[in-house]
Amino acid sequence: MTAFSLEPEQLAWCERLRTLAAQRLRPLADQGDPGHVNRPLVAELGAAGLLARLFTSGALDLCLMRESLAYACTEAETALALQGLGAHPVHAHGTEAQRARWLPRVSDGTAVAAFALSEPAAGSDAAALSLGAEPDGRSGWRLTGDKCWISNAPEADLYTVFARTTPGAGARGVTAFLVPADRPGLTGTPLDMLSPHPIGALAFDAVPVTADDVLGEPDRGFRVAMGTLNLFRPSVGAFAVGMARAALDATLAHTRAREAFGGTLRDLQTVSHQVAEMALRTEAARLMVYAAATAYDENAQDVPGRAAMAKLLATETAQYVVDRAVQLHGARALQRGHLLEHLYREVRAPRIYEGASEVQRDIIAKELYRTTDTTGEARA
Ligand SMILES: Cc1cc2nc3c(=O)[nH]c(=O)nc-3n(C[C@H](O)[C@H](O)[C@H](O)COP(=O)(O)OP(=O)(O)OC[C@H]3O[C@@H](n4cnc5c(N)ncnc54)[C@H](O)[C@@H]3O)c2cc1C
């Protein structure tokens, strides 16, 4: 297939996922406690086979899942994505024992995973992280410090934790550890966000870890983090595209039906042109997301730049589209419980997490200069 058209089977799969999200996942999401892990919802994602697919399918399938679920149930989309983000390092870098212990439970939704990179003093500049791993015995460490803005914390069952094993070494002195939630010294507190997102802060008080808990190699953990983000960045874009498409479709329905000035809103050209612009930008974002995911699946050289472009364009586009949709709906969009009131709150965070928009521009520029020579030609 090409990046620009989906196969009939893929389109049919997306349709089935939207139906699943609307009929089976939406009711479970509505019963959840906002801001907390919704275990029945996670279990249903497992029962539907979607969590297992996180580890068997590629980046494009991940995007199609996230876009389709987001269209009808952002909470389900986020629960799926967080299982992937937290457990992908185990899948890609874990030992046989680590994989055997955790991946079946993450896949059936009985274990909840989290990805703990950000700290109070190291967000965008993640390589400055300071949660310390002090040597303890022949092959162990003690983790001491804080993580914050960690999705699924403090309720997750396993954490991929990035800690500093070599002080002063920047990105080269970071190790990824798989830390089960019941390790002594690990505590956490929930944080209350604008959108209903399970998230919290973690405090590590000399939490013991051993060589058996390392994901990948000591001091090579930053590569684990960046590899995971390269896979997930286009799919954050897919989440945004799913929200934009939901906002666009709601706007089409509303402007077609809403009567004003002797006709309907769609009869006003300033309205229909705004709808056209929303569709144009959403489609451009969708294509760029699929292209970046396809590049990842084909192991292309230009994945970091493409992933950054896709995430940047799609998240900024979704913000624009949802805002336009609110405007064209008028007051009803702002009423608590309206789809657009929900999307208006949901759409904001993806422009900040997994690299803020400014960080994506940094990556795009760095890749451009890295891959071209002084004349601007691509390097051989
Ligand atoms: C809903 C949500 C879920 C999250 N989930 C997780 C998670 O599961 N795991 C995890 O580890 N983290 C998570 N985070 C944290 C997220 O990754 C960080 O918020 C993000 O990396 C930005 O860090 P910061 O908030 O400390 O902002 P800062 O790094 O302080 O940046 C603030 C602002 O400064 C500007 N800025 C920063 N760097 C640059 C630059 N190089 N050039 C120009 N401008 C710049 C940007 O406008 C940026 O938004 C989550 C955040 C949110 C909101």
Side-chain angles (χ1 to χ4, degrees):
M1 65 151 279
T2 71
F4 305 104
S5 68
L6 295 176
E7 301 292 346
E9 312 82 68
Q10 290 171 308
L11 290 170
W13 186 48
C14 291
E15 200 46 52
R16 288 199 300 280
L17 288 170
R18 282 188 183 195
T19 305
L20 171 88
Q23 294 180 357
R24 275 167 59 190
L25 303 174
R26 180 79 263 154
L28 290 170
D30 289 341
Q31 288 161 26
D33 186 7
H36 291 277
V37 172
N38 183 333
R39 286 189 182 259
L41 182 64
V42 177
E44 191 64 21
L45 287 166
L50 300 186
L51 299 179
R53 277 195 86 134
L54 287 167
F55 309 115
T56 56
S57 51
L60 183 59
D61 277 2
L62 175 63
C63 286
L64 298 183
M65 281 197 280
R66 292 191 69 173
E67 181 189 324
S68 306
L69 294 182
Y71 183 85
C73 185
T74 57
E75 296 90 338
E77 185 286 334
T78 300
L80 174 103
L82 296 179
Q83 286 291 84
L85 190 65
H88 179 265
V90 183
H91 167 68
H93 302 277
T95 61
E96 271 314 306
Q98 289 168 329
R99 291 164 55 94
R101 176 171 177 204
W102 289 109
L103 294 183
R105 293 186 55 205
V106 171
S107 299
D108 69 15
T110 52
V112 169
F115 181 88
L117 178 66
S118 302
E119 299 182 2
S124 304
D125 186 8
L129 68 83
S130 66
L131 185 131
E134 288 286 320
D136 178 41
R138 274 160 57 99
S139 67
W141 296 263
R142 293 266 173 180
L143 304 182
T144 301
D146 296 297
K147 293 285 180 186
C148 69
W149 318 120
I150 307 306
S151 299
N152 280 344
E155 299 172 60
D157 301 299
L158 70 148
Y159 295 93
T160 295
V161 177
F162 298 89
R164 177 148 309 284
T165 30
T166 303
R172 291 192 187 82
V174 171
T175 300
F177 294 97
L178 195 175
V179 182
D182 58 3
R183 281 289 157 90
L186 176 56
T187 54
T189 37
L191 297 167
D192 189 13
M193 307 298 275
L194 173 69
S195 55
H197 191 97
I199 191 166
L202 294 171
F204 293 74
D205 182 9
V207 174
V209 285
T210 71
D212 291 341
D213 301 314
V214 172
L215 290 167
E217 292 171 49
D219 281 347
R220 304 290 289 273
F222 209 69
R223 292 165 62 118
V224 174
M226 293 306 121
T228 304
L229 293 178
N230 275 341
L231 168 60
F232 277 85
R233 266 186 192 135
S235 76
V236 177
F239 171 36
V241 168
M243 289 191 280
R245 291 181 82 177
L248 174 62
D249 285 358
T251 306
L252 282 168
H254 179 72
T255 54
R256 184 180 269 135
R258 174 69 173 167
E259 291 182 1
F261 304 105
T264 58
L265 284 180
R266 66 171 281 194
D267 300 326
L268 302 170
Q269 195 182 53
T270 49
V271 169
S272 64
H273 279 197
Q274 283 189 69
V275 175
E277 186 70 22
M278 290 159 70
L280 171 79
R281 296 194 193 190
T282 303
E283 184 63 1
R286 190 177 69 90
L287 295 177
M288 193 168 260
V289 164
Y290 293 175
T294 304
Y296 183 96
D297 288 339
E298 292 175 352
N299 224 354
Q301 293 297 307
D302 55 356
V303 168
R306 277 192 182 275
M309 285 185 187
K311 199 244 171 195
L312 172 63
L313 183 76
T315 56
E316 296 284 338
T317 295
Q319 179 85 53
Y320 168 86
V321 170
V322 170
D323 184 65
R324 288 290 90 203
V326 168
Q327 193 68 18
L328 292 176
H329 275 74
R332 57 195 53 71
L334 298 180
Q335 191 174 7
R336 190 76 66 199
H338 191 279
L339 169 71
L340 288 166
E341 178 268 339
H342 172 73
L343 292 178
Y344 195 70
R345 288 183 289 115
E346 281 274 16
V347 81
R348 192 61 186 85
R351 291 170 60 206
I352 293 175
Y353 61 60
E354 292 188 41
S357 293
E358 294 83 352
V359 170
Q360 306 307 329
R361 287 194 176 86
D362 270 354
I363 296 170
I364 294 164
K366 202 171 104 197
E367 287 298 307
L368 282 171
Y369 289 113
R370 188 181 67 79
T371 55
T372 52
D373 62 20
T374 49
T375 65
E377 294 282 317
R379 285 191 208 281

